[in-house]
Amino acid sequence: MLAGAPTPARALATGTAGVKSPRLVEPVPTALSDWEKVAKALGRKGDMKRKMMYHTALPRRDLRVRSRRVTVKPALALGSHVSFVRYADKSTMVMGDVVVTERELQPFTDVLQEHEIAQTAIHKHLLSQSPHIWWVHVHAHGHHPVAVARGLRAAFDRTGTPPPRPPGREQRVDLDTAGIDAALGVKGSTDEGIYKCVFVRRETITDGHLVLPPGLGSTSAFNFQPLGGGRAAISGDCAMIAKEVQDVLVALRCAGAELVELHNHGLTDEPRLFFIHFWAVGDGVKLARALRPAVDATNVVPVG
């Protein structure tokens, strides 16, 4: 990671009654082998992110979604995912963002509640999409990660989320990716035909007494779907603290981006984070240049 590594975590302040808040608990590195039972319970294999997050993707390849006359590829905005993190006290946190149709939303919610898996946001990533889609942030913390994985599997089974498929050949991205990288100041990556540029918050983010690994629930992402002739549809998400929100909203509108939703992903994060989903269509490099002020208005560092 570049020079803006997260600052060390600090102990929480003493409460007004003179009682100290619980000490912060740090995440610990894990390996794929540590999550074999979780993978079996989920019914699909995941991968490791930054040696601390066991990440499982569940893209909604079963859906044909259109937004603003663009057919949305799964990797652009339809990528459900969940991440498991082990902590020094032997507990495990799970966070995720799940794509459900409007018809699936209530049954999915009921199963989550049955398994005591919390919902921390229900919101939109896209404008005027067809069919109607919702995105649900899920959260759990405890000492039984396999039980949580079983609960997630039961909830996913109430949706049309398809089974995993063998990895295929990476699709070529018909965009000036070098120009996009230079404009945004990041080295992007390709995911099933989508070019992704990702940033993480510089400061340490906590969730209650737990320190979040860099990037867990706190990323800014700019996803580019090629439309031909150097044009792209961009589905983006900026992570912000309160004092950054208005500057980012102004920067996005000045770039010609359409604002979709301003919301929170978590309930007990500190500093409190806000997220703005946005949509833009145009020349990929020109849009990237226009969006750079939104990146510069936030305290983030590039990934990759």
Side-chain angles (χ1 to χ4, degrees), residues 41 101 191 197 226-227 230 244 281:
T101 67
D191 179 15
C197 300
L227 299 179
E244 298 168 345
V281 175

Side-chain angles (χ1 to χ4, degrees), residues 43-244:
R44 63 189 68 209
K45 295 180 180 180
D47 58 11
M48 297 301 304
K49 302 292 186 185
R50 304 178 194 102
K51 299 182 180 180
M52 287 190 179
M53 293 179 279
Y54 178 66
H55 171 269
T56 303
L58 304 100
R60 291 302 301 262
R61 298 190 183 97
D62 59 307
L63 298 175
R64 181 176 174 82
V65 177
R66 285 183 62 83
S67 178
R68 290 295 196 258
R69 299 180 296 279
V70 173
T71 299
V72 177
K73 290 187 176 182
L76 179 67
L78 305 177
S80 297
H81 58 89
V82 292
S83 293
F84 289 70
V85 179
R86 188 73 44 78
Y87 281 86
D89 62 359
K90 310 300 183 183
S91 68
T92 298
M93 174 186 280
V94 181
M95 283 188 179
D97 193 10
V98 182
V99 179
V100 296
T101 67
E102 194 157 294
R103 180 176 295 180
E104 296 167 347
L105 176 57
Q106 307 311 323
F108 179 78
T109 295
D110 293 342
V111 178
L112 290 178
Q113 293 177 356
E114 179 184 343
H115 291 270
E116 299 183 346
I117 298 170
Q119 294 164 290
T120 59
I122 303 174
H123 65 294
K124 296 280 189 178
H125 287 198
L126 298 170
L127 294 167
S128 61
Q129 77 276 17
S130 177
H132 294 297
I133 305 294
W134 291 88
W135 285 256
V136 180
H137 282 268
V138 297
H139 182 283
H141 175 246
H143 288 82
H144 303 286
V146 175
V148 174
R150 291 194 189 105
L152 289 171
R153 173 68 179 273
F156 281 119
D157 285 348
R158 297 300 298 271
T159 74
T161 303
R165 69 183 187 188
R169 188 174 181 178
E170 190 55 68
Q171 302 174 36
R172 178 178 174 272
V173 175
D174 183 22
L175 290 170
D176 179 1
T177 56
I180 291 171
D181 288 348
L184 287 174
V186 65
K187 178 60 179 174
S189 61
T190 302
D191 179 15
E192 296 192 358
I194 303 300
Y195 196 65
K196 298 187 172 184
C197 300
V198 181
F199 303 81
V200 299
R201 297 291 307 185
R202 291 176 183 267
E203 63 269 73
T204 295
I205 309 295
T206 62
D207 185 284
H209 67 289
L210 302 175
V211 176
L212 299 183
L216 180 62
S218 59
T219 58
S220 293
F222 297 75
N223 298 336
F224 294 74
Q225 177 175 313
L227 299 179
R231 288 170 52 79
I234 300 177
S235 177
D237 188 12
C238 291
M240 309 161 290
I241 58 174
K243 67 180 182 180
E244 298 168 345

Side-chain angles (χ1 to χ4, degrees), residues 260-281:
V260 178
E261 182 143 347
L262 174 65
H263 68 296
N264 304 100
H265 285 181
L267 300 178
T268 58
D269 48 347
E270 180 64 37
R272 193 81 170 108
L273 294 181
F274 299 83
F275 297 81
I276 177 68
H277 288 278
F278 65 89
W279 174 266
V281 175

Side-chain angles (χ1 to χ4, degrees), residues 10-44:
R10 297 186 299 243
L12 298 178
T14 302
T16 55
V19 179
K20 289 186 177 180
S21 300
R23 295 180 66 87
L24 294 177
V25 182
E26 298 277 351
V28 297
T30 54
L32 278 176
S33 58
D34 297 315
W35 302 103
E36 290 178 354
K37 292 181 179 179
V38 165
K40 184 176 181 180
L42 278 175
R44 63 189 68 209

